[in-house]
Amino acid sequence: MSPKPPKDPVLLQQQVIYFKSELAKFKNKVKHYQNDYHYSLIEELKEKNSKLIEETRMKENQIDRLKIEGEQLANENSELKKELTEMNEQFHSSDLHHEIDELNKENEHLKLLNEQLKKKLTMLEQLKDTDSSTSQSPHLQQIEKQMDDVLEKSFAYEEQLDSKMILIQFLEGKLEELSEEINQLTTSEDEDISPPKENS
């Protein structure tokens, strides 16, 4: 194999210059790509940062709204507690229970008196029948008068009983309404105590 002829030094120098130039081009391209990548990365980060700032602002607004709502609920809850305490005091310290008990006792007494009057009336009727069957007794008119008095008292007691029963029913209705209102307030108070759920 014959040896290669030596290359021309000028040609070699030109080739070196050409390769240096190509190398410089490639370096510039790489630098350009790196700059482009960094730029796009910075823009992307800026965009993400902007979104995060917006989300943070929205969350802060939401937190502020929830704080205001929480304060309003706390105030409402405090008012409800106050109202409930007042109603409980009114309910337990009211004379309604005592009044109903007294009326029931009075009713029992009136019923007993009425029963006694009815017995007395039966006895008087028997006496009247006995006296009228024998002779014209001087007691007959007196018995009839007593019977009229007893009947009158009996009717009066029954009227009193009826009016007292109506009053008892009215008072029991009032008690029931009051009790229901207290239960409703207690229920709504329990519901309002639970804190509002924060949207994630």
Side-chain angles (χ1 to χ4, degrees):
M1 213 169 157
S2 59
K4 287 185 181 177
K7 288 199 175 185
D8 185 5
V10 175
L11 187 65
L12 285 172
Q13 197 174 0
Q14 284 177 348
Q15 282 180 346
V16 168
I17 292 166
Y18 171 76
F19 287 130
K20 277 184 179 177
S21 169
E22 287 297 308
L23 184 62
K25 276 184 197 176
F26 282 121
K27 279 184 179 177
N28 281 335
K29 274 189 180 180
V30 168
K31 195 174 180 182
H32 179 70
Y33 286 139
Q34 281 177 338
N35 287 340
D36 274 357
Y37 172 75
H38 286 135
Y39 178 77
S40 64
L41 190 64
I42 287 165
E43 287 301 310
E44 190 181 333
L45 287 171
K46 276 183 182 175
E47 196 175 326
K48 279 184 182 177
N49 191 41
S50 178
K51 280 181 184 175
L52 284 170
I53 289 168
E54 182 63 22
E55 279 177 24
T56 306
R57 191 182 59 78
M58 285 170 71
K59 290 281 181 192
E60 282 171 355
N61 288 342
Q62 197 175 4
I63 288 165
D64 289 342
R65 275 201 312 273
L66 286 171
K67 276 181 185 173
I68 292 165
E69 281 176 25
E71 284 169 11
Q72 286 173 346
L73 282 172
N75 289 338
E76 283 174 26
N77 190 34
S78 176
E79 287 296 316
L80 278 172
K81 274 184 178 175
K82 191 177 171 186
E83 197 176 333
L84 185 60
T85 306
E86 285 172 8
M87 285 190 78
N88 265 322
E89 283 171 7
Q90 184 187 349
F91 182 70
H92 292 298
S93 68
S94 72
D95 294 330
L96 288 177
H97 290 291
H98 180 67
E99 201 171 331
I100 288 170
D101 288 342
E102 287 299 312
L103 284 168
N104 278 324
K105 283 176 190 171
E106 207 174 322
N107 269 3
E108 289 304 314
H109 181 65
L110 285 171
K111 281 178 187 174
L112 188 65
L113 284 175
N114 212 15
E115 286 299 317
Q116 289 171 356
L117 283 173
K118 282 177 181 174
K119 283 177 186 173
K120 193 172 182 181
L121 188 61
T122 307
M123 283 169 60
L124 285 169
E125 279 174 351
Q126 287 169 355
L127 266 172
K128 182 184 169 189
D129 290 342
T130 309
D131 281 353
S132 61
S133 63
T134 53
S135 61
Q136 287 295 329
S137 168
H139 297 297
L140 192 59
Q141 285 181 349
Q142 189 184 351
I143 290 168
E144 283 178 346
K145 189 180 181 307
Q146 282 182 341
M147 282 176 67
D148 288 340
D149 287 345
V150 168
L151 275 171
E152 200 175 313
K153 279 183 183 176
S154 180
F155 286 137
Y157 285 152
E158 281 180 3
E159 279 179 9
Q160 282 183 41
L161 268 170
D162 288 342
S163 66
K164 300 248 187 271
M165 284 304 293
I166 289 165
L167 185 58
I168 286 171
Q169 286 171 355
F170 171 75
L171 290 173
E172 282 176 342
K174 279 281 178 196
L175 267 176
E176 200 174 320
E177 280 175 24
L178 219 90
S179 183
E180 273 179 35
E181 204 169 335
I182 286 170
N183 287 339
Q184 283 174 357
L185 278 170
T186 308
T187 309
S188 64
E189 182 193 19
D190 290 343
E191 287 171 1
D192 290 341
I193 286 172
S194 56
K197 289 181 182 175
E198 189 179 326
N199 294 332
S200 53

